[in-house]
Amino acid sequence: MTQAGPTGDDLVEMLAALANPLRLRIVAQLAAERDYVSHLARVIGVSRPLLHMHLRRLEAAGLITGSLELSDDGKAMKYYEVTDFDLHLTAAALAEAAKTLTGPGPEEGS
């Protein structure tokens, strides 16, 4: 029995999210440990607004998840962590995913 991979649309979204070097660094950092936005921005070396933009894209792709938590002093802090995703790309997996694409095909243009 084979395990079903992501749909074609999900795979496109995941790969597009990971195609950005900064987002790849964010996922790598979060793979080591979950982190909150302010600290993650300092570690990665970007502004919080820029980090938020990239975090939203990664979360929309299902690669990370965020949760609000209260710190000891009562401040709300958003923590992010990597989801339990497993991408194994093979020609066969890509062919199966392509069958489920709902986006434009060659006859519809890009």
Side-chain angles (χ1 to χ4, degrees):
M1 181 187 301
T2 61
Q3 180 180 350
T7 66
D9 295 334
D10 290 342
L11 184 60
V12 167
E13 189 170 359
M14 292 171 91
L15 292 176
L18 292 171
N20 180 285
L22 182 55
R23 288 194 288 265
L24 196 56
R25 284 188 191 100
I26 293 167
V27 170
Q29 183 66 34
L30 292 176
E33 65 180 330
R34 72 188 200 112
D35 207 348
Y36 62 97
V37 173
S38 294
H39 184 257
L40 186 58
R42 286 191 300 274
V43 170
I44 300 290
V46 298
S47 68
R48 285 185 304 183
L50 180 61
L51 179 63
H52 273 289
M53 180 189 75
H54 289 291
L55 290 170
R56 280 193 301 270
R57 180 76 186 266
L58 289 166
E59 196 167 24
L63 300 168
I64 65 170
T65 186
S67 60
L68 277 175
E69 298 180 19
L70 289 178
S71 66
D72 292 337
D73 61 357
K75 285 177 32 178
M77 300 173 70
K78 185 122 185 204
Y79 278 85
Y80 284 92
E81 60 189 325
V82 174
T83 62
D84 188 26
F85 69 90
D86 182 16
L87 277 179
H88 185 76
L89 297 179
T90 64
L94 292 175
E96 282 302 309
K99 293 176 185 176
T100 65
L101 285 170
T102 60
E107 66 281 352
E108 300 170 43
S110 53

